[in-house]
């Protein structure tokens, strides 16, 4: 090897090692499960897939745990898990809330929040599932999905947490549903 090429080679090896270390530490580097044949064609390229019945992603291992809140839907309390995103923590800071949710696209109930949430670090491309609690940044509203939603390619839809699917049936019936949302004591 030519001695003059050694410094360039050393820089290239160092840069490659640094790049591999950084990519290994990000959430996006986690392999996602193979998409099912029914959902693979409906997702935009690069949209992370989650199991249909699983909770919203929380945090990488070794970081703080998810937040617990209680949503009372027409008098029935439902314990709900928020993930540890900036937006979810910002949402929890607004609690307690009393909201009137209205139907939107026959798959979610929505309501305006008192103030907009932080979108710092929001992932791009999500596919909302039944039970997801989400924030739609362009409108500043909260959404609770009682049926699977359409994939969102940008970072305008942020999953905040997840309700048990058994609780979502209460949302499907009426056009408007009253809810209170509070921290779990």
């Amino acid at each position: 090897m030519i001695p003059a090429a050694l410094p360039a080679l050393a820089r290239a090896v160092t840069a490659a090692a640094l790049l591999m270390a950084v990519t290994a530490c990000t959430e996006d580097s986690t392999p996602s499960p193979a998409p099912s044949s029914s959902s693979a064609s409906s997702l935009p390229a690069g949209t992370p897939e989650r199991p249909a019945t699983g909770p919203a992603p929380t945090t990488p291992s070794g970081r703080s745990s998810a937040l617990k809140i209680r949503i009372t839907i027409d008098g029935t309390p439902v314990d709900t898990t928020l993930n540890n995103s900036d937006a979810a923590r910002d949402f929890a800071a607004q609690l307690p809330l009393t909201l009137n949710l209205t139907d939107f696209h026959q798959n979610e109930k929505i309501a305006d929040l008192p103030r907009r949430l932080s979108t710092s670090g929001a992932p791009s491309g999500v596919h909302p599932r039944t039970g997801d609690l989400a924030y739609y940044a362009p409108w500043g509203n909260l959404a609770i999905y009682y049926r699977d939603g359409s994939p969102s390619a940008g970072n305008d839809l942020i999953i905040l947490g997840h309700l048990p699917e058994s609780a979502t049936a209460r949302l499907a019936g009426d056009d408007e549903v009253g809810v209170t949302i509070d921290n779990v004591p």
Side-chain angles (χ1 to χ4, degrees):
M1 181 171 273
I2 302 172
L6 288 177
L9 179 62
R11 284 192 304 271
V13 168
T14 303
L18 181 59
L19 180 62
M20 288 185 343
V22 168
T23 358
C25 294
T26 64
E27 277 185 292
D28 296 333
S29 65
T30 313
S32 59
S36 66
S37 60
S38 65
S39 65
S41 62
S42 65
L43 292 175
T47 300
E49 177 68 21
R50 287 186 292 130
T53 59
T58 55
T59 60
S61 59
R63 293 182 59 186
S64 59
S65 62
L67 306 163
K68 299 287 186 184
I69 63 169
R70 181 165 294 138
I71 299 178
T72 303
I73 304 169
D74 280 338
T76 304
V78 178
D79 286 345
T80 303
T81 303
L82 294 180
N83 59 39
N84 198 28
S85 67
D86 289 344
R89 286 190 303 273
D90 199 14
F91 174 69
Q94 292 189 28
L95 302 181
L97 291 172
T98 298
L99 302 170
N100 284 323
L101 301 172
T102 57
D103 199 70
F104 190 72
H105 285 302
Q106 298 178 338
N107 66 345
E108 64 186 284
K109 294 286 196 249
I110 63 171
D112 291 332
L113 291 174
R115 68 173 172 77
R116 293 188 175 271
L117 302 180
S118 167
T119 57
S120 173
S124 262
V126 297
H127 190 169
R129 302 293 187 183
T130 301
D132 279 347
L133 180 68
Y135 174 66
Y136 186 63
W139 295 351
N141 67 15
L142 180 71
I144 302 176
Y145 285 84
Y146 59 89
R147 292 192 184 102
D148 288 354
S150 300
S152 172
N155 63 349
D156 55 353
L157 184 67
I158 302 167
I159 304 298
L160 303 174
H162 195 79
L163 287 76
E165 285 187 42
S166 59
T168 62
R170 291 182 192 95
L171 298 173
D174 297 327
D175 283 340
E176 284 194 30
V177 177
V179 299
T180 57
I181 307 171
D182 206 346
N183 292 303
V184 172

